[in-house]
């Protein structure tokens, strides 16, 4: 007769290694199923690698893409496990001296940069349509950026990527706060442009123009600043000024098709 072990969630686990493992928690079960799937896929892949047919077709095999997809699958599984751990462990209960030691160790291991890389990879996969849940992916990217910031609050890329992601979620006020945090670490013109755009998208058009002017005070030939001002004046329905700034931007480099269409409306006014 098999014995069963139980944890606090009454997770049932069969003792024999050959038995299928079942969990009461659907979330944990999904992780277990993914791991089982990965193991089975690995077995099949090893069989394929040993086959004559595969060896003959090796030149046509995109090993780099295969490796990337495999790594991404493994990363997703461990990401699920990591999130489960975060739900179980309340960081507020950890003593401050332990937190400080943890952050120091994590910085030494460059864990903050690793969190940012993982966040970027998720967003890149979303952009490439390899992930379907837009909100969930962006929310997780923000969580990873927060982890990086907890390790190293002066990580510019973590603040900037979090801010950009918040813009995509239309959380403009929060995004601007993160952009400002980025600026406190490094005065970068791309951040000023991002703040101006967030202001424009949030309907704070006067603020947007002021920030674009700040950019132009740093770089009098900024294509993005002239184009941004053109869009902002278009939103203000001041088509004469919008036309002027579209023309200024186009004199630096050709406008994209979408901007050309909006510019044509200004010319007609």
């Amino acid at each position: 007769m098999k014995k069963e072990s139980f944890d606090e969630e009454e997770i049932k686990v069969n003792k024999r290694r050959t038995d299928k493992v079942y969990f009461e928690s659907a979330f944990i079960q999904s992780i277990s199923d993914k791991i089982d799937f990965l193991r089975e896929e690995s077995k099949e892949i090893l069989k394929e690698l040993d086959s004559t047919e595969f060896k003959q077709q090796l030149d046509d095999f995109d090993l780099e893409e295969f490796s990337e997809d495999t790594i991404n699958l493994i990363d997703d599984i461990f990401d699920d496990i990591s999130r489960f751990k975060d739900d179980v462990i309340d960081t507020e209960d950890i003593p401050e001296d332990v937190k400080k030691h943890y952050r120091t160790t994590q910085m030494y291991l460059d864990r903050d940069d690793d969190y940012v890389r993982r966040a970027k990879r998720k967003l890149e996969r979303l952009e490439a349509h390899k992930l379907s849940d837009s909100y969930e992916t962006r929310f997780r990217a923000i969580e990873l950026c927060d982890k990086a910031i907890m390790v190293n609050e002066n990580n510019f890329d973590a603040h900037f990527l979090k801010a950009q992601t918040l813009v995509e979620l239309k959380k403009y006020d929060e995004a601007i706060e993160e952009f400002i945090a980025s600026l406190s670490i490094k005065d970068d013109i791309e951040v000023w442009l991002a703040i101006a755009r967030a202001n424009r998208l949030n309907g704070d058009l006067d603020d947007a123009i002021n920030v674009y002017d700040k950019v132009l005070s740093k770089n009098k030939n900024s294509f993005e600043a002239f184009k941004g001002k053109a869009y902002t004046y278009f939103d203000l329905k001041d088509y004469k000024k919008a036309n002027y700034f579209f023309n200024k931007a186009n004199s630096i480099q050709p406008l994209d098709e979408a901007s050309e269409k909006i510019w044509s409306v200004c010319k007609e006014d």
Side-chain angles (χ1 to χ4, degrees):
M1 179 177 178
K2 288 184 296 181
K3 293 182 179 179
E4 294 180 329
S5 62
F6 299 83
D7 69 4
E8 293 179 352
E9 287 189 2
E10 295 186 345
I11 297 176
K12 299 180 181 179
V13 183
N14 292 328
K15 286 291 186 181
R16 294 185 306 182
R17 291 180 63 191
T18 54
D19 288 336
K20 170 69 176 175
V21 180
Y22 294 99
F23 298 93
E24 293 293 336
S25 166
F27 178 70
I28 298 299
Q29 185 64 55
S30 71
I31 295 173
S32 176
D33 290 343
K34 287 179 181 179
I35 293 171
D36 287 343
F37 171 76
L38 188 60
R39 285 175 179 154
E40 291 303 316
E41 285 294 299
S42 298
K43 291 177 184 177
E44 293 300 318
I45 289 167
L46 288 173
K47 288 179 184 178
E48 289 293 324
L49 289 173
D50 197 41
S51 69
T52 304
E53 182 181 357
F54 174 79
K55 290 172 184 176
Q56 290 174 345
Q57 297 177 358
L58 187 59
D59 290 340
D60 298 327
F61 187 75
D62 191 341
L63 188 60
E64 184 177 343
E65 183 177 347
F66 165 78
S67 300
E68 182 183 352
D69 289 344
T70 303
I71 290 169
N72 286 336
L73 178 58
I74 294 170
D75 181 65
D76 286 343
I77 291 170
F78 280 99
D79 193 49
D80 285 344
I81 295 171
S82 173
R83 295 185 74 178
F84 173 70
K85 179 197 70 176
D86 292 342
D87 289 340
V88 172
I89 301 173
D90 187 352
T91 56
E92 295 299 319
D93 295 335
I94 301 173
E96 284 301 318
D97 56 339
V98 175
K99 289 181 186 178
K100 183 177 179 180
H101 176 73
Y102 171 80
R103 286 194 294 268
T104 302
T105 305
Q106 296 292 286
M107 284 180 67
Y108 176 77
L109 296 172
D110 294 328
R111 288 294 289 153
D112 54 323
D113 289 337
D114 180 55
Y115 286 132
V116 174
R117 280 192 295 271
R118 287 169 60 188
K120 286 180 178 178
R121 185 161 64 233
K122 284 189 175 295
L123 295 172
E124 286 167 359
R125 293 179 68 203
L126 178 64
E127 189 69 22
H129 305 292
K130 292 183 179 180
L131 296 175
S132 58
D133 193 329
S134 174
Y135 179 84
E136 173 66 18
T137 300
R138 290 192 171 99
F139 183 75
R140 183 52 181 159
I142 288 171
E143 286 184 329
L144 288 166
C145 288
D146 282 337
K147 282 175 173 283
I149 293 165
M150 283 180 64
V151 173
N152 179 9
E153 63 183 9
N154 292 318
N155 189 309
F156 172 87
D157 290 335
H159 285 288
F160 189 51
L161 184 62
K162 179 182 177 181
Q164 290 175 309
T165 309
L166 285 166
V167 168
E168 294 302 315
L169 292 173
K170 298 183 180 180
K171 296 180 181 292
Y172 302 117
D173 291 335
E174 294 176 46
I176 290 170
E177 287 181 12
E178 286 299 325
F179 282 132
I180 291 170
S182 302
L183 284 175
S184 70
I185 300 166
K186 181 171 66 174
D187 190 351
D188 190 307
I189 200 165
E190 292 301 318
V191 181
W192 286 107
L193 286 167
I195 291 174
R197 179 173 178 269
N199 276 318
R200 184 177 71 81
L201 293 173
N202 200 31
D204 299 323
L205 304 181
D206 289 338
D207 288 341
I209 289 172
N210 289 334
V211 179
Y212 281 127
D213 285 339
K214 173 76 173 179
V215 172
L216 289 168
S217 72
K218 293 172 173 287
N219 178 7
K220 63 180 180 181
N221 293 314
S222 171
F223 168 79
E224 292 296 338
F226 283 130
K227 189 174 83 166
K229 285 191 74 172
Y231 269 90
T232 308
Y233 278 115
F234 181 82
D235 292 344
L236 285 166
K237 296 183 172 53
D238 189 336
Y239 302 121
K240 184 176 180 180
K241 284 187 178 178
N243 176 56
Y244 173 79
F245 285 110
F246 272 130
N247 187 59
K248 292 280 284 185
N250 193 61
S251 68
I252 296 170
Q253 72 179 60
L255 290 167
D256 56 275
E257 186 176 345
S259 298
E260 284 277 5
K261 287 183 179 179
I262 294 175
W263 188 15
S264 65
V265 174
C266 299
K267 292 176 180 177
E268 292 171 1
D269 187 69

